[in-house]
């Protein structure tokens, strides 16, 4: 079920660094990793998680930065599945970053 802007805003309170992009009807997060290999590793880990849950983000890699885009295309915007996957992506990113 497609979420309205209030539900999206509420859901974004539970995830780190995600923003609502209304003109694209998606949520997005950009993360910086230590280097290119780390960025590719995060993308590979997110791909495995996405396969497990059957929901797939768009991901862009620019050297040490990865941008995640989440939207449920068949619904035409953000659903609970996107917010769930955002939380799972947050866990992958947190595990990949060096402590401190």
């Amino acid at each position: 079920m497609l979420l309205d802007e209030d539900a999206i805003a509420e859901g974004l309170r539970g995830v780190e660094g995600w923003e609502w992009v209304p003109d694209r009807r998606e949520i997005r997060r950009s993360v910086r990793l230590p280097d290119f290999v780390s960025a590719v590793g995060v993308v590979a880990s997110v791909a495995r998680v996405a396969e497990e849950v059957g929901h797939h983000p768009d991901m862009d890699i620019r050297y040490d930065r990865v941008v995640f885009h989440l939207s449920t295309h068949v619904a035409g915007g953000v659903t609970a599945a996107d917010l769930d996957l955002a939380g799972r992506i947050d866990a992958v990113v947190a595990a990949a970053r060096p402590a401190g």
Side-chain angles (χ1 to χ4, degrees):
M1 179 173 87
L2 194 60
L3 301 177
D4 64 22
E5 289 194 33
D6 290 337
I8 293 167
E10 177 67 28
L12 290 177
R13 289 186 188 97
V15 292
E16 180 183 335
W18 290 86
E19 64 179 329
W20 163 235
V21 185
D23 61 319
R24 295 185 50 97
R25 305 203 47 77
E26 70 178 19
I27 57 173
R28 175 175 58 204
R29 181 180 181 196
S30 176
V31 296
R32 175 165 272 157
L33 285 303
D35 52 39
F36 179 72
V37 172
S38 299
V40 171
V42 164
V43 167
S45 294
V46 168
R48 284 188 291 279
V49 169
E51 280 295 300
E52 288 172 9
V53 299
H55 194 62
H56 304 90
D58 291 331
M59 300 181 276
D60 299 311
I61 302 172
R62 302 288 186 262
Y63 185 64
D64 63 348
R65 183 176 300 274
V66 181
V67 181
F68 300 98
H69 306 263
L70 288 172
S71 179
T72 302
H73 302 292
V74 297
V78 177
T79 66
D82 298 301
L83 292 170
D84 176 66
L85 186 54
R88 293 170 188 266
I89 290 171
D90 287 352
V92 170
V93 169
R97 286 190 162 152

